[in-house]
């Protein structure tokens, strides 16, 4: 027997769960298909290695999902200052949220906390049914709806099926949507550390020819350090003892880091860019990492995924046929160029600071410093970092 929904969301990660929460609150009937349920959380738990910067737009969307309180009350570290510089000799550029009248640029929140709070908000909704653990086996779109067969044999149907199942999206694959992929031949080493300095309200990033080094504040004396480097170097760093890694960090990271008392965990991620050539097929649409994966250097991957679903939810809440081609093509027409623009900006930063001759890097760094003195431009950069330059498409 088949159960029918307005919308099936495959992937109940941060982006898919947020979409389901928005749609469920608008009284649309939603099914969420997720392979792995979020784990319970306790305050004694050490910080997770997967951390995201949540900008002002995403925070508002999470609040509309009734999930922000569940994130903020657990662990969220606000950042009120943002500093960038390259390793030539200058002071870099510091942005202050207060300069645009904001209390903070955003918050660093652990990914499992974001997902858990969203799932708690889904549990309150009688309009949302969660299928977990469950995975899709087959998709069959026809003129009026799409039928999804799960791997356990259950059959569901909906007017629209959303692929929110991440970078390796099975929905994208089953819908026959091709992707453009670029491998940066770079890895991000993520290190969770206990810092000598107490909780900070600044996040900083120093660009070096081998890749950026970044500091993300976490609650208490904790920080997430991100060290972008070649795969060989990251492999070497991963093999070091905690003591050796602390020595390497103190030698290579800028003095802003201060002392490191302990390493709590480390992991590495290959850096690549991926863009789906189309965001839609008949009665199927892609959101979040299923549609686009960008270089994480500016911490915008989740934020642009949340912008995808905020727009899609606004279209779907209008009450027309959720799978109508006109609606899906309007979504694609707004979000694909916006995400492409973000990708190109990350690309420009990556090339400027890693591939360019020293003279150009210094020019880039001077450009960053100039931003400090050109207040309208600086304000634009700050508002962009907060997600406030997003144009509300109708
Ligand atoms: C090193 C690093 C640092 C980052 N830092 C930031 C940051 O600071 N800020 C930021 O905005 N972004 C950041 N990002 C990007 C961010 O993590 C991603 O953009 C975000 O996780 C995308 O969310 P998503 O829900 O689209 O996909 P995912 O997080 O991948 O979630 C997909 C969900 O679908 C489920 N799923 C997958 N396949 C199936 C299937 N077949 N059936 C059922 N369920 C399935 C998965 O279990 C998962 O729950 C970073 C990325 C990296 C690699």
């Amino acid at each position: 027997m088949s159960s029918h929904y307005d919308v099936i969301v495959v992937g109940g990660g941060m982006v898919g769960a947020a979409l389901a929460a928005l749609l469920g609150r608008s009284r649309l009937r939603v099914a969420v298909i997720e392979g792995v349920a979020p784990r319970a959380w306790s305050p004694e738990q050490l910080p997770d290695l997967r951390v995201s910067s949540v900008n002002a737009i995403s925070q508002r969307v999470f609040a509309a999902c009734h999930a922000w309180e569940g994130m903020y009350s657990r662990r969220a570290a606000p950042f009120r200052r943002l500093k960038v510089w390259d390793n030539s000799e200058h002071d870099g550029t510091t942005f202050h949220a207060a300069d645009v009248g904001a209390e903070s640029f955003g918050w660093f929140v652990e990914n499992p906390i974001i997902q858990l709070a969203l799932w708690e908000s889904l549990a309150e909704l009688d309009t949302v049914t969660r299928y977990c653990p469950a995975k899709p086996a087959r998709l069959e779109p026809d003129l009026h709806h799409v039928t999804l067969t799960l791997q356990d044999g259950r059959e569901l149907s909906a007017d629209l099926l959303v692929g929110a199942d991440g970078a390796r999206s099975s929905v994208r694959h089953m819908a026959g949507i091709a992707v453009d992929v670029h491998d940066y031949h770079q890895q991000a080493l993520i290190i969770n550390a206990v810092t000598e300095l107490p909780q900070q309200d600044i996040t900083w990033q120093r660009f070096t020819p081998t890749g950026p080094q970044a500091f993300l504040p976490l609650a208490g004396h904790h920080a997430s350090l991100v060290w972008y480097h070649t795969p060989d170097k990251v492999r070497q760093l991963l093999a070091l003892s905690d003591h050796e890694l602390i020595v390497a960090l103190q030698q290579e990271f800028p003095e802003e880091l201060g002392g490191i008392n302990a390493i709590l965990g480390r992991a590495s991620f290959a850096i690549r860019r991926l863009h789906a050539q189309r965001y839609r097929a008949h009665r199927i649409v892609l959101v979040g990492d299923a549609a686009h994966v960008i270089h994480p250097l500016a911490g915008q991957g989740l934020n642009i995924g949340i912008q995808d679903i905020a727009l899609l939810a606004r279209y779907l809440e209008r009450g027309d046929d959720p799978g109508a081609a006109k609606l899906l093509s309007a979504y694609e027409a707004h979000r694909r160029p916006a995400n492409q623009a973000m990708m190109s900006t990350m690309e420009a930063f990556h090339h400027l600071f890693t591939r360019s001759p020293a003279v150009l890097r210094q020019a880039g760094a001077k450009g960053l410093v100039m931003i400090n003195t050109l207040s309208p431009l600086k304000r634009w950069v700050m508002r962009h970092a907060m997600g406030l330059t997003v144009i509300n498409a109708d």
Side-chain angles (χ1 to χ4, degrees):
M1 218 177 90
S2 163
S3 310
H4 189 80
Y5 298 91
D6 295 312
V7 180
I8 295 174
V9 180
V10 178
M14 299 181 285
V15 171
L19 175 63
L22 290 180
L23 299 181
R25 288 193 180 276
S26 302
R27 304 307 300 163
L28 279 116
R29 287 159 302 142
V30 183
V32 178
I33 316 300
E34 169 57 47
V36 187
R39 278 178 292 132
W41 184 88
S42 75
E44 298 76 40
Q45 219 166 289
L46 292 177
D48 198 272
L49 281 162
R50 292 160 302 154
V51 171
S52 293
S53 62
V54 172
N55 70 16
I57 292 278
S58 298
Q59 184 270 337
R60 282 182 211 164
V61 173
F62 293 148
C65 295
H66 292 206
W68 176 243
E69 189 52 35
M71 300 174 199
Y72 190 76
S73 62
R74 286 188 168 100
R75 272 196 305 235
F79 57 103
R80 302 187 171 90
R81 294 174 297 142
L82 208 150
K83 182 175 174 186
V84 282
W85 74 105
D86 94 333
N87 58 346
S88 62
E89 287 176 15
H90 66 80
D91 293 335
T93 302
T94 304
F95 303 96
H96 297 259
D99 290 352
V100 281
E103 207 188 303
S104 76
F105 283 118
W107 298 261
F108 287 106
V109 189
E110 296 152 56
N111 292 3
I113 290 180
I114 298 177
Q115 191 195 15
L116 180 64
L118 287 164
W119 273 59
E120 287 168 349
S121 84
L122 294 183
E124 293 168 3
L125 297 169
D126 60 4
T127 43
V128 177
T129 308
R130 288 163 292 159
Y131 292 81
C132 182
K135 288 191 171 185
R138 203 167 58 248
L139 287 182
E140 288 159 287
D142 65 29
L143 192 59
H144 297 294
H145 59 264
V146 53
T147 303
L148 171 70
T149 309
L150 299 178
Q151 286 182 2
D152 60 14
R154 281 179 290 180
E155 204 173 81
L156 323 176
S157 64
D159 299 341
L160 173 68
L161 184 137
V162 180
D165 49 348
R168 292 169 193 216
S169 170
S170 63
V171 170
R172 191 182 66 220
H173 179 72
M174 287 190 267
I177 298 177
V179 286
D180 296 319
V181 186
H182 172 74
D183 190 339
Y184 287 97
H185 303 292
Q186 195 181 51
Q187 296 224 343
L189 173 63
I190 317 281
I191 302 158
N192 273 4
V194 179
T195 56
E196 258 172 35
L197 293 169
Q199 182 169 338
Q200 298 196 48
D201 70 350
I202 189 168
T203 180
W204 49 253
Q205 184 145 204
R206 179 172 71 163
F207 291 90
T208 81
T210 49
Q213 299 166 336
F215 172 90
L216 285 48
L218 300 178
H221 284 255
H222 293 131
S224 170
L225 310 175
V226 192
W227 195 347
Y228 297 88
H229 218 299
T230 58
D232 281 349
K233 176 73 176 178
V234 168
R235 210 171 301 120
Q236 283 169 22
L237 291 167
L238 277 171
L240 296 179
S241 68
D242 285 356
H243 174 71
E244 289 167 334
L245 184 57
I246 290 173
V247 172
L249 284 165
Q250 309 277 212
Q251 278 171 355
E252 303 276 345
F253 265 51
E255 60 188 23
E256 276 82 351
L257 178 59
I260 296 287
N261 290 341
I263 301 289
L264 299 177
R266 53 183 115 165
S268 67
F269 297 85
I271 306 298
R272 61 189 191 135
R273 181 183 75 219
L274 176 154
H275 208 181
Q277 289 177 0
R278 291 179 290 129
Y279 282 12
R280 66 190 173 97
H282 182 65
R283 294 198 173 270
I284 295 171
V285 70
L286 302 178
V287 295
D289 275 22
H292 45 73
V293 176
I294 64 171
H295 197 302
L297 68 85
Q300 292 301 322
L302 169 65
N303 289 313
I304 61 174
I306 295 298
Q307 285 159 28
D308 290 347
I309 60 103
L311 182 68
L312 186 61
R314 274 180 47 202
Y315 286 163
L316 294 174
E317 285 157 6
R318 287 178 185 168
D320 305 330
D321 173 3
K326 198 170 147 208
L327 183 155
L328 302 186
S329 73
Y331 160 77
E332 182 180 46
H334 279 111
R335 290 309 304 158
R336 203 172 183 285
N339 292 331
Q340 183 63 58
M342 180 63 84
M343 263 181 197
S344 304
T345 307
M346 296 308 109
E347 197 65 12
F349 270 109
H350 174 75
H351 281 282
L352 181 63
F353 289 105
T354 58
R355 296 251 181 97
S356 313
V359 62
L360 271 184
R361 289 204 308 273
Q362 277 162 19
K366 285 198 181 100
L368 289 174
V369 176
M370 272 173 64
I371 290 172
N372 223 357
T373 56
L374 301 173
S375 56
L377 180 55
K378 189 175 169 186
R379 270 200 295 278
W380 183 86
V381 170
M382 289 193 284
R383 290 176 63 77
H384 202 75
M386 296 165 74
L388 296 179
T389 51
V390 176
I391 292 157
N392 284 335
D394 285 320

